[in-house]
Amino acid sequence: QVQLVESGGGSVQAGGSLRLSCAASEYTYSTYSMGWFRQAPGKLREGVAAIGRDGRTSYADSVRGRFTISKGNAQNTLYLQMNRLKSEDTAMYLCAAALPSMGWASLERHEYNFWGQGTQVTVSS
């Protein structure tokens, strides 16, 4: 069973930055697709950024140009660098991993099989 543990969340003022991390057990990030999702109270879980097996990335329109997804050199850590944060970015952020059969940078939640517990990001205006 893949385990994912997120960290790095917190409270920040609008315009500030945060970097989220996701550590995995028994998993090879270089082989499988990974993604970051977020869920605000009363809203559906939405894909924020993803990275496929080939290293290609995809971003939601709302974060493109502000957020960057990347893999650590150790291949067992996934990052999400978030810059120029806005109040609407406030949500629980979750890391997800897909089975090998899904190798692209999908932002669709149903494509992912393993999920972390999440880390809260709160942006105040």
Side-chain angles (χ1 to χ4, degrees):
Q1 182 71 23
V2 176
Q3 294 184 340
L4 304 170
V5 180
E6 303 94 336
S7 61
S11 297
V12 64
Q13 290 190 330
S17 299
L18 284 173
R19 188 175 80 156
L20 305 183
S21 300
C22 173
S25 63
E26 306 176 22
Y27 216 58
T28 304
Y29 284 89
S30 61
T31 305
Y32 306 113
S33 296
M34 305 288 299
W36 284 100
F37 289 75
R38 67 186 181 187
Q39 188 164 16
K43 295 188 177 181
L44 295 175
R45 187 171 297 182
E46 63 173 347
V48 174
I51 184 165
R53 287 189 304 188
D54 59 1
R56 292 185 181 183
T57 58
S58 61
Y59 295 92
D61 289 343
S62 59
V63 306
R64 187 176 292 111
R66 300 187 297 123
F67 291 10
T68 303
I69 188 172
S70 62
K71 294 178 179 178
N73 291 332
Q75 296 295 319
N76 67 341
T77 306
L78 184 73
Y79 299 105
L80 183 69
Q81 178 66 43
M82 305 186 296
N83 298 328
R84 303 197 307 276
L85 283 161
K86 304 176 181 180
S87 57
E88 50 262 45
D89 294 319
T90 295
M92 180 72 73
Y93 283 72
L94 303 101
C95 174
L99 290 173
S101 56
M102 203 290 284
W104 55 91
S106 173
L107 293 178
E108 299 295 328
R109 56 182 178 172
H110 69 271
E111 302 268 32
Y112 292 84
N113 305 88
F114 307 103
W115 295 85
Q117 294 298 309
T119 185
Q120 178 68 36
V121 172
T122 302
V123 184
S124 57
S125 57

